[in-house]
């Protein structure tokens, strides 16, 4: 009876996930249609020549198709930054908003186009590569919709956009944004002067700098608003989510404890050791702790494969990076290189299980922890079990040293 209920639940979950994925794919497909049609409509609205209308429409559909491919590829390969992979509709909405802006920008002077902000906006809600491509194609659209657009307009915004994406890659709560923004703004001002003002065949005056100064002020205001909101609603929210799910009183962990106390306590011990190692090596300690707690969560309903167990993480809104690490560790695909974080969990799990096994045989046994740790590492290296992990010999030595420092903690496992 129980097994039939579980099967029905799994089928319902699969249908729900497929339905959500179907909606996302439909949104992605709309990018192709909407981009091409908007280029076609605005080309007519701006009274462009028939050949320009055909060129613009073709370019719109082409760029839209390439963007869809990049989005699908990023989704399949888990390349999205932050939690953008779970909320891909966020990028679609952002893209359509920026697309509309790009359509109306030909109505204003080129020097005030806010593309520095647009590049950053699109990059934060997808990946740097997608942000660079989508931002570039929008600049191209704005230039093509002008009756006398030039390559100079594209290059001065493309270069500044590329720089802001590079300087603010993978921002977090401790990232200092002042210097990157200052560099980007200074470059934008220099490019506008170099590509636009110097070719106006007029004597240089302060009045000519009013337009680029307005551009700088618009971009600064918009970028600070964007980064502030992004920090509050994306970065901090992700951090808060880690705090929730890494709390030992979190309902899913409590459920694991009620189902299998041994699995629960083993997860707690692995998390303690793995987190300390990750912190020392400068790795993602929060994600490592989450992996330690939840990699064996399938014990609750008997799930073993990734497809059967992933609903726990999706239903509990785990951060995207944590889901990626968990998928990697649970699948344990030895045909490709695994992360350092997975290597830490693997070695911590091996050590904790070894100690628990020895204490289970004899609670009063005296274990030489240094020898045990040396034997474990030697065995794993001799059998080439660590060769698949992207971890150096130096990092393995650091891991070994840190494990040897926890002798007092191991005695609590009796």
């Amino acid at each position: 009876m129980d097994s039939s209920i579980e099967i029905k639940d799994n089928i319902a979950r699969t249908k729900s996930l497929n339905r959500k994925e179907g909606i996302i794919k439909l949104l992605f497909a709309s990018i192709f249609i909407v981009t091409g049609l908007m280029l076609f409509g605005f080309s007519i609205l701006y009274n462009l020549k028939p050949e320009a209308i055909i060129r613009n429409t073709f370019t719109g559909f082409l760029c839209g198709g390439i963007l869809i491919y990049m989005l699908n590829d990023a989704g399949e390969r888990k390349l999205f930054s932050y939690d953008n992979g779970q909320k891909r509709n966020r990028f679609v909405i952002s893209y359509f908003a920026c697309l509309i802006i790009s359509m109306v920008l030909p109505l204003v002077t080129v020097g005030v186009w806010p593309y520095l902000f647009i590049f950053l906006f699109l990059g934060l809600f997808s990946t740097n590569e997608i942000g660079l491509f989508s931002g570039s194609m929008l600049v191209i659209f704005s230039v093509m919709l002008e009756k006398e657009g030039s390559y100079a307009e594209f290059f001065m915004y493309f270069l500044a956009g590329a720089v802001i994406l590079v300087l603010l890659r993978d921002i977090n709560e401790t990232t200092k944004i002042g210097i990157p923004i200052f560099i980007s703004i200074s470059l934008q001002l220099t490019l506008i002067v170099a590509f636009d003002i110097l070719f106006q065949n007029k004597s240089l005056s302060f009045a000519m700098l009013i337009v680029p100064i307005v551009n700088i002020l618009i971009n600064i205001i918009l970028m600070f608003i964007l980064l502030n909101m992004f920090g509050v609603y994306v970065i901090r929210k992700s951090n808060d989510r880690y705090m929730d799910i890494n709390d030992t009183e979190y309902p899913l962990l409590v459920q694991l404890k009620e189902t299998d106390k041994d699995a629960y306590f083993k997860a707690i011990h692995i998390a303690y050791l793995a987190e300390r190692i990750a912190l020392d090596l400068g790795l993602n300690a929060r994600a490592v702790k989450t992996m330690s707690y939840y990699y064996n969560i399938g014990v609750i309903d008997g799930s073993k494969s990734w497809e059967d167990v992933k609903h726990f993480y999706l239903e509990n809104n785990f951060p995207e990076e944590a889901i990626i690490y968990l998928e990697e560790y649970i699948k344990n695909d030895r045909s490709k290189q695994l992360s350092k974080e997975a290597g830490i969990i693997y070695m911590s799990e091996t050590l904790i299980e070894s100690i628990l096994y020895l204490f289970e045989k004899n609670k009063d046994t005296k274990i030489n922890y240094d020898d045990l740790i040396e034997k474990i590492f030697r065995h794993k290296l001799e059998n080439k079990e660590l060769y698949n992990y992207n971890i150096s010999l130096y990092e393995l030595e650091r891991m070994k040293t840190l494990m040897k420092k926890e002798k007092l903690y191991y005695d609590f496992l009796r």
Side-chain angles (χ1 to χ4, degrees):
M1 185 69 178
D2 290 340
S3 60
S4 63
I5 293 174
E6 288 177 5
I7 291 172
K8 289 180 180 178
D9 287 343
N10 286 333
I11 293 173
R13 291 190 192 102
T14 301
K15 286 182 177 179
S16 177
L17 292 173
N18 289 339
R19 194 179 303 115
K20 290 179 181 177
E21 193 64 27
I23 294 172
I24 292 296
K25 288 181 178 179
L26 185 62
L27 284 173
F28 283 177
S30 69
I31 290 175
F32 175 77
I33 302 297
V34 173
T35 301
L37 291 180
M38 285 194 71
L39 261 294
F40 174 73
F42 275 87
S43 296
I44 294 175
L45 186 65
Y46 290 141
N47 295 315
L48 299 183
K49 295 178 181 180
E51 55 268 27
I53 294 174
I54 295 172
R55 176 202 65 190
N56 293 356
T57 304
F58 172 77
T59 304
F61 282 119
L62 176 63
C63 289
I66 295 172
L67 182 57
I68 291 172
Y69 173 80
M70 293 179 71
L71 289 167
N72 284 325
D73 181 62
E76 290 176 3
R77 296 202 286 153
K78 307 292 189 300
L79 298 178
F80 280 103
S81 308
Y82 310 101
D83 61 345
N84 294 323
Q86 293 171 289
K87 300 177 180 178
R88 285 166 287 173
N89 58 318
R90 183 191 286 162
F91 173 81
V92 177
I93 295 170
S94 303
Y95 170 75
F96 283 144
C98 293
L99 178 63
I100 294 171
I101 293 172
S102 73
M103 296 291 106
V104 300
L105 284 179
L107 298 174
V108 300
T109 181
V110 173
V112 298
W113 289 1
Y115 271 108
L116 198 61
F117 159 75
I118 289 174
F119 272 88
L120 180 61
F121 188 28
L122 295 172
L124 287 177
F125 290 118
S126 56
T127 69
N128 268 28
E129 291 74 19
I130 292 174
L132 182 62
F133 176 77
S134 55
S136 300
M137 61 186 260
L138 294 183
V139 179
I140 292 172
F141 295 163
S142 295
V143 172
M144 289 195 307
L145 288 173
E146 292 183 295
K147 289 186 178 179
E148 296 181 358
S150 71
Y151 73 91
E153 298 167 0
F154 169 76
F155 275 107
M156 68 183 183
Y157 287 115
F158 167 76
L159 293 173
V163 169
I164 191 70
L165 287 175
V166 170
L167 294 178
L168 289 177
R169 175 186 287 272
D170 299 327
I171 61 174
N172 53 52
E173 282 187 315
T174 61
T175 301
K176 295 179 180 179
I177 63 173
I179 294 177
I181 288 182
F182 173 77
I183 293 173
S184 303
I185 289 296
S186 300
L187 176 62
Q188 181 73 90
L189 180 61
T190 304
L191 289 168
I192 292 175
V193 172
F195 280 93
D196 187 29
I197 292 178
L198 292 180
F199 292 90
Q200 291 187 14
N201 297 320
K202 299 177 183 177
S203 47
L204 190 63
S205 65
F206 179 75
M208 297 178 68
L209 296 175
I210 292 177
V211 169
I213 289 174
V214 170
N215 179 298
I216 298 308
L217 290 175
I218 290 173
N219 276 295
I220 287 176
I221 292 170
L222 290 175
M223 285 195 295
F224 271 110
I225 292 173
L226 170 63
L227 289 169
N228 183 61
M229 294 181 65
F230 190 80
V232 171
Y233 294 105
V234 178
I235 298 176
R236 194 174 301 168
K237 189 175 180 180
S238 175
N239 293 342
D240 291 343
R241 193 61 194 150
Y242 271 117
M243 290 179 67
D244 290 338
I245 62 178
N246 285 345
D247 186 339
T248 52
E249 295 302 315
Y250 187 71
L252 192 57
L253 271 180
V254 172
Q255 193 176 355
L256 175 63
K257 184 178 181 180
E258 292 172 350
T259 304
D260 190 331
K261 284 188 176 181
D262 290 339
Y264 169 81
F265 284 111
K266 187 176 77 170
I268 297 296
H269 298 314
I270 294 172
Y272 169 82
L273 187 59
E275 183 185 26
R276 293 175 72 85
I277 296 170
L279 285 169
D280 182 82
L281 296 179
L283 301 178
N284 194 331
R286 298 175 308 172
V288 165
K289 191 172 186 178
T290 301
M291 290 169 67
S292 305
Y293 281 157
Y294 295 101
Y295 78 91
N296 202 24
I297 202 67
V299 167
I300 290 176
D301 61 3
S303 301
K304 292 183 179 179
S305 70
W306 168 250
E307 293 302 321
D308 291 335
V309 81
K310 69 179 180 181
H311 69 88
F312 285 111
Y313 314 124
L314 297 176
E315 291 167 0
N316 285 274
N317 197 27
F318 275 43
E320 178 76 8
E321 59 186 355
I323 294 178
I324 292 172
Y325 283 129
L326 283 161
E327 179 180 2
E328 175 192 45
Y329 195 71
I330 292 170
K331 283 186 173 180
N332 193 29
D333 183 0
R334 297 287 174 154
S335 65
K336 59 184 180 181
Q337 194 172 57
L338 305 176
S339 66
K340 298 177 190 288
E341 286 80 2
I344 291 173
I345 301 294
Y346 178 60
M347 294 306 294
S348 298
E349 180 187 9
T350 302
L351 177 59
I352 294 297
E353 285 184 341
S354 300
I355 295 172
L356 288 173
Y357 172 76
L358 292 172
F359 283 147
E360 187 179 334
K361 290 179 63 178
N362 182 2
K363 284 189 177 182
D364 297 323
T365 188
K366 290 184 179 181
I367 303 174
N368 187 322
Y369 297 115
D370 287 353
D371 285 350
L372 177 62
I373 292 167
E374 286 289 346
K375 287 178 181 177
I376 290 173
F377 274 82
R378 191 184 310 118
H379 175 75
K380 297 299 182 184
L381 287 170
E382 288 176 354
N383 288 281
K384 299 183 179 181
E385 293 180 44
L386 291 173
Y387 282 27
N388 280 96
Y389 296 95
N390 181 27
I391 194 163
S392 67
L393 290 174
Y394 169 78
E395 288 166 328
L396 287 174
E397 285 300 317
R398 284 295 308 161
M399 194 187 306
K400 190 192 303 182
T401 301
L402 289 166
M403 286 179 169
K404 290 179 179 180
K405 289 181 179 179
E406 298 296 333
K407 297 184 182 70
L408 291 176
Y409 180 79
Y410 301 144
D411 283 331
F412 287 114
L413 303 182
R414 291 182 187 274

